[in-house]
Amino acid sequence: MAKDYTNDSSFLTDVKTLRARARKQIEDGALTPGYELDPDQAIHLLNTALATELVCVLRYRQHAVTASGIHSEPIAAEFLVHSNEELAHADLLAKRIVQLGGTPQMDPAGLSERSHAEYVACDSIDKMIRENLIAERIAIESYREMIRFFGDKDSTTRAMLEGILAMEEAHADELADLLE
């Protein structure tokens, strides 16, 4: 005989409490009392990641338009693809910052100081590939640390960061292949 779970509240807050809390704290949007992290700290970390992504967008775009030489066209095209993907990451991060009640810090002033990666203009395709690979490796390590930080306390942010990490790892593989 199947157990009746209609009144089972062994792990869920009762519905009346959930409804009352939702109505009382409606202005808080997605940030509920069950959020287990300090939202300001989470927002700070995500703004750092946002700065890193924006620096990467600009570096990749710079490299895409300045790459020259007989084999530059497909590599410049790859840089542009990476730039667009980094911009998509920045959009995801900015939207999550807003969901957590923060403001995305996109002011160009101080962007490179907030970023983990550096903006490096290069004069050869080989140097461009290397600088972009270095930046991807920095991003990979940064995202791994952030994923550990968010852990089970913010599964939405963790899942978003895991998706971004997978793309950064793919970028690193692609750039490493270009070096061969």
Side-chain angles (χ1 to χ4, degrees), residues 35 41-51 93-94 96-97 100 143 146 150 154 157 160-161:
Y35 191 75
Q41 186 178 16
I43 290 164
H44 173 76
L45 287 172
L46 294 175
N47 265 317
T48 301
L50 175 60
L93 291 161
R96 186 61 181 158
I97 289 165
L100 294 176
Y143 283 121
M146 284 190 285
F150 285 98
D154 181 344
T157 302
M160 177 195 65
L161 294 173

mmCIF file of all heavy atoms in Angstrom, residues 35 41-51 93-94 96-97 100 143 146 150 154 157 160-161:
data_model
loop_
_atom_site.group_PDB
_atom_site.id
_atom_site.type_symbol
_atom_site.label_atom_id
_atom_site.label_comp_id
_atom_site.label_asym_id
_atom_site.label_seq_id
_atom_site.Cartn_x
_atom_site.Cartn_y
_atom_site.Cartn_z
ATOM 1 N N TYR A 35 18.255 31.760 1.592
ATOM 2 C CA TYR A 35 19.559 31.966 0.960
ATOM 3 C C TYR A 35 20.628 31.912 2.046
ATOM 4 O O TYR A 35 20.586 32.684 3.003
ATOM 5 C CB TYR A 35 19.601 33.310 0.220
ATOM 6 C CG TYR A 35 20.816 33.443 -0.664
ATOM 7 C CD1 TYR A 35 20.892 32.769 -1.869
ATOM 8 C CD2 TYR A 35 21.896 34.220 -0.276
ATOM 9 C CE1 TYR A 35 21.999 32.864 -2.684
ATOM 10 C CE2 TYR A 35 23.013 34.340 -1.081
ATOM 11 C CZ TYR A 35 23.060 33.658 -2.288
ATOM 12 O OH TYR A 35 24.184 33.759 -3.083
ATOM 13 N N GLN A 41 28.678 39.391 -0.193
ATOM 14 C CA GLN A 41 29.890 38.657 -0.559
ATOM 15 C C GLN A 41 29.693 37.936 -1.889
ATOM 16 O O GLN A 41 30.575 37.946 -2.748
ATOM 17 C CB GLN A 41 30.278 37.663 0.531
ATOM 18 C CG GLN A 41 31.600 36.980 0.268
ATOM 19 C CD GLN A 41 32.001 36.025 1.377
ATOM 20 O OE1 GLN A 41 31.193 35.627 2.206
ATOM 21 N NE2 GLN A 41 33.271 35.649 1.392
ATOM 22 N N ALA A 42 28.531 37.326 -2.079
ATOM 23 C CA ALA A 42 28.235 36.638 -3.335
ATOM 24 C C ALA A 42 28.260 37.628 -4.502
ATOM 25 O O ALA A 42 28.860 37.356 -5.553
ATOM 26 C CB ALA A 42 26.874 35.948 -3.242
ATOM 27 N N ILE A 43 27.643 38.782 -4.311
ATOM 28 C CA ILE A 43 27.606 39.814 -5.347
ATOM 29 C C ILE A 43 29.019 40.308 -5.655
ATOM 30 O O ILE A 43 29.378 40.502 -6.827
ATOM 31 C CB ILE A 43 26.671 40.961 -4.916
ATOM 32 C CG1 ILE A 43 25.212 40.470 -4.940
ATOM 33 C CG2 ILE A 43 26.865 42.202 -5.784
ATOM 34 C CD1 ILE A 43 24.241 41.350 -4.182
ATOM 35 N N HIS A 44 29.830 40.499 -4.631
ATOM 36 C CA HIS A 44 31.220 40.928 -4.843
ATOM 37 C C HIS A 44 31.979 39.921 -5.711
ATOM 38 O O HIS A 44 32.667 40.297 -6.665
ATOM 39 C CB HIS A 44 31.928 41.127 -3.502
ATOM 40 C CG HIS A 44 33.388 41.398 -3.647
ATOM 41 N ND1 HIS A 44 33.880 42.624 -4.050
ATOM 42 C CD2 HIS A 44 34.464 40.592 -3.474
ATOM 43 C CE1 HIS A 44 35.203 42.561 -4.122
ATOM 44 N NE2 HIS A 44 35.576 41.336 -3.781
ATOM 45 N N LEU A 45 31.848 38.637 -5.379
ATOM 46 C CA LEU A 45 32.535 37.605 -6.164
ATOM 47 C C LEU A 45 32.049 37.590 -7.607
ATOM 48 O O LEU A 45 32.847 37.472 -8.543
ATOM 49 C CB LEU A 45 32.321 36.229 -5.536
ATOM 50 C CG LEU A 45 33.076 35.943 -4.253
ATOM 51 C CD1 LEU A 45 32.622 34.627 -3.647
ATOM 52 C CD2 LEU A 45 34.578 35.912 -4.518
ATOM 53 N N LEU A 46 30.749 37.709 -7.789
ATOM 54 C CA LEU A 46 30.203 37.702 -9.140
ATOM 55 C C LEU A 46 30.607 38.951 -9.916
ATOM 56 O O LEU A 46 30.848 38.877 -11.127
ATOM 57 C CB LEU A 46 28.680 37.556 -9.091
ATOM 58 C CG LEU A 46 28.180 36.210 -8.547
ATOM 59 C CD1 LEU A 46 26.670 36.205 -8.426
ATOM 60 C CD2 LEU A 46 28.667 35.051 -9.403
ATOM 61 N N ASN A 47 30.738 40.091 -9.240
ATOM 62 C CA ASN A 47 31.215 41.302 -9.910
ATOM 63 C C ASN A 47 32.675 41.163 -10.329
ATOM 64 O O ASN A 47 33.087 41.706 -11.361
ATOM 65 C CB ASN A 47 30.994 42.540 -9.041
ATOM 66 C CG ASN A 47 29.702 43.243 -9.376
ATOM 67 O OD1 ASN A 47 29.371 43.412 -10.556
ATOM 68 N ND2 ASN A 47 28.966 43.649 -8.361
ATOM 69 N N THR A 48 33.460 40.445 -9.550
ATOM 70 C CA THR A 48 34.852 40.175 -9.935
ATOM 71 C C THR A 48 34.886 39.307 -11.186
ATOM 72 O O THR A 48 35.655 39.568 -12.124
ATOM 73 C CB THR A 48 35.603 39.484 -8.779
ATOM 74 O OG1 THR A 48 35.557 40.335 -7.631
ATOM 75 C CG2 THR A 48 37.047 39.210 -9.136
ATOM 76 N N ALA A 49 34.035 38.286 -11.210
ATOM 77 C CA ALA A 49 33.941 37.426 -12.396
ATOM 78 C C ALA A 49 33.447 38.230 -13.598
ATOM 79 O O ALA A 49 33.937 38.050 -14.725
ATOM 80 C CB ALA A 49 33.019 36.241 -12.116
ATOM 81 N N LEU A 50 32.499 39.123 -13.368
ATOM 82 C CA LEU A 50 31.982 39.978 -14.437
ATOM 83 C C LEU A 50 33.100 40.841 -15.019
ATOM 84 O O LEU A 50 33.242 40.942 -16.246
ATOM 85 C CB LEU A 50 30.843 40.849 -13.908
ATOM 86 C CG LEU A 50 30.261 41.878 -14.872
ATOM 87 C CD1 LEU A 50 29.689 41.213 -16.122
ATOM 88 C CD2 LEU A 50 29.180 42.700 -14.152
ATOM 89 N N ALA A 51 33.904 41.435 -14.154
ATOM 90 C CA ALA A 51 35.026 42.263 -14.627
ATOM 91 C C ALA A 51 35.995 41.418 -15.459
ATOM 92 O O ALA A 51 36.480 41.861 -16.509
ATOM 93 C CB ALA A 51 35.748 42.900 -13.438
ATOM 94 N N LEU A 93 26.283 36.563 -15.667
ATOM 95 C CA LEU A 93 26.756 37.031 -14.357
ATOM 96 C C LEU A 93 26.008 38.291 -13.931
ATOM 97 O O LEU A 93 25.576 38.408 -12.778
ATOM 98 C CB LEU A 93 28.264 37.279 -14.393
ATOM 99 C CG LEU A 93 29.122 36.023 -14.522
ATOM 100 C CD1 LEU A 93 30.516 36.379 -15.020
ATOM 101 C CD2 LEU A 93 29.184 35.276 -13.201
ATOM 102 N N ALA A 94 25.842 39.228 -14.855
ATOM 103 C CA ALA A 94 25.151 40.483 -14.526
ATOM 104 C C ALA A 94 23.701 40.218 -14.109
ATOM 105 O O ALA A 94 23.219 40.792 -13.133
ATOM 106 C CB ALA A 94 25.202 41.435 -15.726
ATOM 107 N N ARG A 96 22.512 37.488 -12.776
ATOM 108 C CA ARG A 96 22.494 36.838 -11.460
ATOM 109 C C ARG A 96 22.778 37.847 -10.359
ATOM 110 O O ARG A 96 22.180 37.780 -9.273
ATOM 111 C CB ARG A 96 23.497 35.674 -11.410
ATOM 112 C CG ARG A 96 23.435 34.874 -10.135
ATOM 113 C CD ARG A 96 22.072 34.238 -9.939
ATOM 114 N NE ARG A 96 22.032 33.482 -8.683
ATOM 115 C CZ ARG A 96 20.919 33.189 -8.042
ATOM 116 N NH1 ARG A 96 19.757 33.519 -8.541
ATOM 117 N NH2 ARG A 96 20.971 32.523 -6.914
ATOM 118 N N ILE A 97 23.666 38.782 -10.602
ATOM 119 C CA ILE A 97 23.946 39.838 -9.618
ATOM 120 C C ILE A 97 22.664 40.605 -9.307
ATOM 121 O O ILE A 97 22.351 40.867 -8.143
ATOM 122 C CB ILE A 97 25.061 40.786 -10.140
ATOM 123 C CG1 ILE A 97 26.408 40.051 -10.138
ATOM 124 C CG2 ILE A 97 25.133 42.065 -9.308
ATOM 125 C CD1 ILE A 97 27.498 40.740 -10.941
ATOM 126 N N LEU A 100 20.289 38.680 -7.151
ATOM 127 C CA LEU A 100 20.712 38.643 -5.748
ATOM 128 C C LEU A 100 20.597 40.008 -5.071
ATOM 129 O O LEU A 100 20.991 40.173 -3.925
ATOM 130 C CB LEU A 100 22.143 38.109 -5.639
ATOM 131 C CG LEU A 100 22.323 36.644 -6.043
ATOM 132 C CD1 LEU A 100 23.805 36.260 -5.991
ATOM 133 C CD2 LEU A 100 21.503 35.722 -5.159
ATOM 134 N N TYR A 143 36.869 30.163 -11.474
ATOM 135 C CA TYR A 143 35.527 29.572 -11.448
ATOM 136 C C TYR A 143 35.481 28.324 -10.568
ATOM 137 O O TYR A 143 34.494 28.104 -9.871
ATOM 138 C CB TYR A 143 35.020 29.283 -12.866
ATOM 139 C CG TYR A 143 34.545 30.539 -13.553
ATOM 140 C CD1 TYR A 143 35.111 30.979 -14.736
ATOM 141 C CD2 TYR A 143 33.517 31.302 -13.000
ATOM 142 C CE1 TYR A 143 34.677 32.140 -15.357
ATOM 143 C CE2 TYR A 143 33.084 32.469 -13.608
ATOM 144 C CZ TYR A 143 33.667 32.880 -14.785
ATOM 145 O OH TYR A 143 33.235 34.041 -15.379
ATOM 146 N N MET A 146 35.150 29.589 -7.089
ATOM 147 C CA MET A 146 33.812 30.139 -6.835
ATOM 148 C C MET A 146 32.767 29.029 -6.728
ATOM 149 O O MET A 146 31.862 29.113 -5.897
ATOM 150 C CB MET A 146 33.427 31.140 -7.928
ATOM 151 C CG MET A 146 34.132 32.471 -7.753
ATOM 152 S SD MET A 146 33.480 33.750 -8.844
ATOM 153 C CE MET A 146 34.181 33.251 -10.387
ATOM 154 N N PHE A 150 30.228 28.644 -3.589
ATOM 155 C CA PHE A 150 28.769 28.638 -3.656
ATOM 156 C C PHE A 150 28.202 27.269 -3.285
ATOM 157 O O PHE A 150 27.150 27.190 -2.658
ATOM 158 C CB PHE A 150 28.284 29.092 -5.042
ATOM 159 C CG PHE A 150 28.424 30.571 -5.236
ATOM 160 C CD1 PHE A 150 29.508 31.108 -5.907
ATOM 161 C CD2 PHE A 150 27.474 31.435 -4.724
ATOM 162 C CE1 PHE A 150 29.643 32.478 -6.083
ATOM 163 C CE2 PHE A 150 27.598 32.815 -4.881
ATOM 164 C CZ PHE A 150 28.688 33.333 -5.563
ATOM 165 N N ASP A 154 24.123 27.879 -2.730
ATOM 166 C CA ASP A 154 23.492 28.638 -3.807
ATOM 167 C C ASP A 154 23.637 27.807 -5.078
ATOM 168 O O ASP A 154 24.542 28.023 -5.889
ATOM 169 C CB ASP A 154 24.138 30.016 -3.960
ATOM 170 C CG ASP A 154 23.494 30.860 -5.045
ATOM 171 O OD1 ASP A 154 22.749 30.319 -5.887
ATOM 172 O OD2 ASP A 154 23.755 32.081 -5.063
ATOM 173 N N THR A 157 23.517 29.699 -8.630
ATOM 174 C CA THR A 157 24.774 30.332 -9.046
ATOM 175 C C THR A 157 25.815 29.269 -9.376
ATOM 176 O O THR A 157 26.535 29.392 -10.371
ATOM 177 C CB THR A 157 25.281 31.295 -7.960
ATOM 178 O OG1 THR A 157 24.278 32.288 -7.713
ATOM 179 C CG2 THR A 157 26.567 31.985 -8.381
ATOM 180 N N MET A 160 25.187 27.891 -12.817
ATOM 181 C CA MET A 160 25.570 28.868 -13.829
ATOM 182 C C MET A 160 27.089 28.884 -14.001
ATOM 183 O O MET A 160 27.600 28.851 -15.114
ATOM 184 C CB MET A 160 25.071 30.263 -13.441
ATOM 185 C CG MET A 160 25.489 31.360 -14.409
ATOM 186 S SD MET A 160 25.269 33.019 -13.742
ATOM 187 C CE MET A 160 26.430 33.033 -12.391
ATOM 188 N N LEU A 161 27.805 28.913 -12.881
ATOM 189 C CA LEU A 161 29.270 28.945 -12.928
ATOM 190 C C LEU A 161 29.838 27.669 -13.530
ATOM 191 O O LEU A 161 30.842 27.704 -14.250
ATOM 192 C CB LEU A 161 29.840 29.173 -11.529
ATOM 193 C CG LEU A 161 29.526 30.535 -10.899
ATOM 194 C CD1 LEU A 161 30.007 30.570 -9.448
ATOM 195 C CD2 LEU A 161 30.107 31.676 -11.694
#
